[in-house]
Amino acid sequence: MFCVLRKKEITLNTVNIQEILIVNSIGVILMAFLQYVRYKKNEKKKYGEPIFDVMIWTAVAGCILESVSFVIDGRVFPGCILLSYISNSLCFIGTSGVGFLWCLYTEIRIFRSLQRLKNKIIYLAAPFIVEIILVIINLAGTGVLFSVSQDNVYERGFLVSYSYIILFFYYICSICMVDRSRKSGLYVHQYPTLLFIIPCVVGTVAQGVFYGVSVGWTSVAMAMLFVYIQLQSLDLLTDPLSGLYNRKHLEATFLSIAKNSRIRKVYGIMLDVNGFKQINDTYGHNEGDNAIRHIGRILSNSVSDSGIVIRFAGDEFIVLMNTESEDEVRAVIDRIELNVGAFNMSGRVPYNISFAIGYEGVDSSQTMEDFISCLDEQMYHAKKKYYAGTGTDRRRSEAL
């Protein structure tokens, strides 16, 4: 993307500044339109939306800063060199930052687990942190990334390509994430990775090869618009209240499992919230909705990368795990119970959350209806025990 690929030998007179300003203005307009649409739809509570917000503002800043750096390149006026250093340094950070943010957004949109994201963010952030360090070193006048002459002319440094290596590294990482989710057999959607990457790559290469063609950041803006449009259809597989996958996703997943020869057995865990009607009756339906949101986060963070969580119906949830190990299933249940206990101890809400839990394995020959029936039967024993006055006991003593 971006201004860092400018060639020293090309003078300002050969660049059509008006076209650069027009193209980057289009990028800003696209991002303003996208933010307006998202604001009207009130999408702030969706998984990953804060990251998407930062990506939008990064694209806007990139369009503006790139325009500034082209306009002032070769012009001498008080403070021009400092302004060139600042604008180009921020463009370097933004270039790598877009790739980093895209990886984070892909991770959270697919796996829907903040805990999983926290576990991976250190590794994902490492190349980006190195880029920031190089920018700081460059500001000391070392010229490792770029330098600005006394005539205020930009010149590339010997490590200028590092930003683009990082950028493509992040793009490859996002492709690997999507590929891993598909191979698990539990994620049936077509995440729009290439819809984002292809326009960004084309814009980057075009701007690098043809100096004066400023399309890098506008390509990012277009890519984000494409991604947003595609994700609207994928959101049909998502429960808007809990942020978890919904029953349609469960049905599609079972069709996928039946066709996947690599999957021999899948475990399901069914969870029914104990006393959910009492929460609604005592504290109101708004608090009941908040309870569902809390439960969605608890379950997502408990399951992490072990499987997917689905809001099946009302206060019933299902965890699907692509594993043949019952010990792994029990470990996930232990994490759920531990995290629920920690949430109750936090005192964030005036009630306690607990589940009646049952689990069962299924092979690829079983239908979804048979599978749900088995899970429901296992969970029923735990629910019956809860209403008999011993619902705080663990469900495994009787349900299975």
Side-chain angles (χ1 to χ4, degrees), residues 272-342:
D272 186 280
V273 182
N274 292 322
F276 185 72
K277 183 178 184 301
Q278 185 177 359
I279 295 175
N280 278 325
D281 292 344
T282 304
Y283 303 101
H285 288 280
N286 285 337
E287 189 57 46
D289 288 347
N290 286 331
I292 294 296
R293 295 188 186 99
H294 290 309
I295 290 167
R297 286 190 287 269
I298 291 170
L299 294 179
S300 293
N301 293 335
S302 300
V303 174
S304 190
D305 56 355
S306 302
I308 61 172
V309 188
I310 296 161
R311 186 184 181 194
F312 181 65
D315 60 342
E316 293 183 342
F317 301 83
I318 291 177
V319 177
L320 279 184
M321 298 177 60
N322 184 359
T323 180
E324 296 182 36
S325 171
E326 188 172 343
D327 289 339
E328 289 186 29
V329 178
R330 292 177 182 272
V332 167
I333 293 173
D334 287 339
R335 283 201 300 271
I336 292 173
E337 292 178 340
L338 182 65
N339 290 337
V340 168

Side-chain angles (χ1 to χ4, degrees), residues 123-135:
Y123 306 104
L124 289 175
F128 181 51
I129 293 173
V130 172
E131 171 78 352
I132 295 175
I133 293 173
L134 286 176
V135 168

Side-chain angles (χ1 to χ4, degrees), residues 36-319:
Y36 172 76
V37 171
R38 293 173 68 243
Y39 172 78
K40 293 291 287 184
K41 295 187 68 175
N42 192 25
E43 297 186 336
K44 298 296 183 180
K45 294 181 180 180
K46 287 185 179 180
Y47 268 98
E49 291 312 302
I51 298 175
F52 202 74
D53 271 334
V54 177
M55 289 179 67
I56 288 176
W57 291 115
T58 299
V60 170
C63 289
I64 295 172
L65 289 168
E66 186 175 66
S67 298
V68 170
S69 63
F70 269 112
V71 168
I72 68 174
D73 190 48
R75 300 179 184 273
V76 180
F77 55 89
C80 62
I81 295 178
L82 176 61
L83 184 57
S84 291
Y85 266 106
I86 292 174
S87 60
N88 283 291
S89 294
L90 291 176
C91 279
F92 266 94
I93 293 174
T95 298
S96 302
V98 164
F100 173 57
L101 291 168
W102 172 246
C103 259
L104 297 184
Y105 187 68
T106 300
E107 170 73 27
I108 196 67
R109 283 288 307 201
I110 293 177
F111 298 102
R112 299 175 182 269
S113 171
L114 293 175
Q115 186 58 50
R116 177 188 163 96
L117 183 62
K118 290 176 182 177
N119 293 339
K120 296 186 66 175
I121 195 169
I122 295 177
Y123 306 104
L124 289 175
F128 181 51
I129 293 173
V130 172
E131 171 78 352
I132 295 175
I133 293 173
L134 286 176
V135 168
I136 294 173
I137 293 174
N138 192 80
L139 287 173
T142 59
V144 293
L145 295 176
F146 69 91
S147 60
V148 180
S149 70
Q150 292 300 313
D151 296 328
N152 197 28
V153 176
Y154 173 95
E155 182 177 0
R156 288 174 288 177
F158 64 93
L159 289 181
V160 68
S161 60
Y162 181 75
S163 295
Y164 298 91
I165 294 174
I166 294 178
L167 184 64
F168 286 98
F169 164 77
Y170 283 130
Y171 290 162
I172 293 171
C173 280
S174 68
I175 292 173
C176 291
M177 289 177 190
V178 175
D179 184 62
R180 179 182 177 184
S181 71
R182 288 174 181 166
K183 287 180 178 178
S184 74
L186 302 179
Y187 303 87
V188 297
H189 55 69
Q190 298 294 316
Y191 187 77
T193 318
L194 295 182
L195 276 180
F196 179 83
I197 293 177
I198 290 176
C200 292
V201 170
V202 171
T204 302
V205 173
Q207 186 159 324
V209 174
F210 305 104
Y211 177 66
V213 178
S214 175
V215 295
W217 284 107
T218 301
S219 297
V220 174
M222 293 175 60
M224 293 183 66
L225 191 60
F226 294 157
V227 167
Y228 177 79
I229 293 171
Q230 178 65 20
L231 287 177
Q232 296 310 293
S233 60
L234 298 182
D235 283 342
L236 295 175
L237 302 176
T238 303
D239 172 55
L241 187 59
S242 65
L244 305 173
Y245 289 116
N246 61 19
R247 184 164 181 160
K248 287 184 178 180
H249 188 281
L250 178 65
E251 294 169 353
T253 299
F254 261 83
L255 292 176
S256 176
I257 290 173
K259 298 176 182 177
N260 194 332
S261 60
R262 291 174 298 183
I263 299 178
R264 290 181 294 179
K265 191 169 186 177
V266 173
Y267 268 98
I269 306 170
M270 178 172 277
L271 306 98
D272 186 280
V273 182
N274 292 322
F276 185 72
K277 183 178 184 301
Q278 185 177 359
I279 295 175
N280 278 325
D281 292 344
T282 304
Y283 303 101
H285 288 280
N286 285 337
E287 189 57 46
D289 288 347
N290 286 331
I292 294 296
R293 295 188 186 99
H294 290 309
I295 290 167
R297 286 190 287 269
I298 291 170
L299 294 179
S300 293
N301 293 335
S302 300
V303 174
S304 190
D305 56 355
S306 302
I308 61 172
V309 188
I310 296 161
R311 186 184 181 194
F312 181 65
D315 60 342
E316 293 183 342
F317 301 83
I318 291 177
V319 177

